[in-house]
C-alpha cells in the first residue's frame, strides 16, 4: 500500500490495518503477517497524531501555485540580511534557468526546493528558499541579469520581515 499523504489517508489506513489485525487474531491466522500489521499501526498512529507534520505550509503552497514549472525564470534568493558589505555577496543567490520541479522542504521549515536547470547547463541543480526572518524570494519570467531584474517588478515576491524592536533605553 502506498504511503498516505493526508490525515484522512492515515485514518483510513489505520482503520483498515486494525480490521485486518483483529481478523488475524480472531482466526489465529498468521498469513496476514500480524506482527507487521501491528508495526504499521504503530507508525501510522504516530504520524496521525504528529502535530508538526500537519501544520500548514502557506509559503510552499503559494510558491507551488504561482511559479510555473517548465518555464525559464530568474530567481533572487536572499538567505539573510547582510550586516557588512563583505556579506552582501554571500547572503544572496541570483539564478536563471528552467524550473523542472518544486518540492517541499523538510519539516518544520516552510519554503521550497527548486529543481532548476541553469542557463547554459544540462543537468538540474537544487536551490532552496527557507522562509525565515530577513529572507526573501523574488521571481521574474525570462532570462534577466541582476541589473535588468532590479528595473522590473517580479511576478512573485515573498519576504519575511523581522519583528519590530523597540529601543529599551529610550523607553526607560
Amino acid at each position: 500500500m502506498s504511503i498516505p499523504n493526508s490525515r484522512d489517508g492515515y485514518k483510513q489506513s489505520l482503520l483498515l490495518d486494525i480490521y485486518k489485525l483483529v481478523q488475524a487474531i480472531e482466526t489465529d491466522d498468521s498469513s496476514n503477517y500480524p506482527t507487521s500489521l501491528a508495526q504499521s499501526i504503530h507508525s501510522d498512529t504516530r504520524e496521525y497524531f504528529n502535530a508538526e507534520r500537519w501544520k500548514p505550509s502557506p509559503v510552499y503552497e503559494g510558491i507551488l501555485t504561482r511559479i510555473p514549472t517548465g518555464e525559464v525564470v530568474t530567481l533572487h534568493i536572499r538567505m539573510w540580511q547582510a550586516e557588512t558589505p563583505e556579506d552582501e555577496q554571500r547572503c544572496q543567490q541570483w539564478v536563471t534557468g528552467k524550473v523542472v520541479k518544486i518540492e517541499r522542504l523538510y519539516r518544520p521549515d516552510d519554503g521550497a526546493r527548486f529543481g532548476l536547470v541553469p542557463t547554459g547547463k544540462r543537468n538540474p541543480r537544487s536551490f532552496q528558499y527557507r522562509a525565515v526572518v530577513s529572507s526573501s524570494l523574488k521571481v521574474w519570467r525570462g532570462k534577466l541579469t541582476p541589473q535588468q531584474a532590479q528595473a522590473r517588478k517580479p511576478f512573485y515576491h515573498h519576504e519575511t520581515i523581522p519583528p519590530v524592536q523597540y529601543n529599551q533605553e529610550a523607553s526607560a
Side-chain angles (χ1 to χ4, degrees):
M1 186 173 181
S2 65
I3 297 173
N5 58 0
S6 69
R7 198 151 194 248
D8 289 335
Y10 272 101
K11 184 177 180 180
Q12 290 175 351
S13 175
L14 272 169
L15 292 174
L16 180 63
D17 286 348
I18 290 170
Y19 173 78
K20 287 180 183 177
L21 184 61
V22 168
Q23 292 300 316
I25 290 171
E26 286 181 350
T27 59
D28 198 22
D29 182 18
S30 63
S31 65
N32 279 337
Y33 306 103
T35 307
S36 66
L37 278 172
Q39 290 171 346
S40 174
I41 290 169
H42 173 74
S43 64
D44 284 353
T45 303
R46 288 181 62 150
E47 287 301 312
Y48 182 79
F49 288 105
N50 182 1
E52 193 68 33
R53 178 182 175 99
W54 306 112
K55 278 179 41 179
S57 303
V59 176
Y60 167 72
E61 292 164 5
I63 288 171
L64 195 60
T65 57
R66 291 182 182 100
I67 298 177
T69 56
E71 281 190 31
V72 175
V73 296
T74 300
L75 298 176
H76 178 232
I77 303 171
R78 179 175 291 279
M79 281 78 79
W80 71 87
Q81 190 64 38
E83 295 178 7
T84 63
E86 295 85 30
D87 284 346
E88 190 62 36
Q89 287 294 332
R90 294 181 344 162
C91 76
Q92 60 184 340
Q93 287 180 310
W94 284 92
V95 185
T96 299
K98 182 178 179 180
V99 178
V100 179
K101 63 182 174 179
I102 300 173
E103 297 175 325
R104 180 186 307 267
L105 291 180
Y106 293 113
R107 293 290 184 174
D109 294 335
D110 192 7
R113 178 174 290 108
F114 298 94
L116 192 117
V117 179
T119 304
K121 307 289 182 189
R122 290 184 184 179
N123 298 324
R125 309 284 199 280
S126 180
F127 302 94
Q128 74 176 16
Y129 169 65
R130 283 185 337 127
V132 295
V133 175
S134 299
S135 65
S136 68
L137 171 69
K138 294 180 184 177
V139 183
W140 294 268
R141 281 192 169 82
K143 179 182 173 184
L144 302 173
T145 65
Q147 293 78 22
Q148 291 172 331
Q150 294 298 338
R152 292 186 184 178
K153 183 178 179 189
F155 79 88
Y156 181 81
H157 179 209
H158 180 268
E159 187 167 7
T160 308
I161 301 169
V164 176
Q165 295 182 355
Y166 297 102
N167 188 355
Q168 293 179 357
E169 293 174 4
S171 64

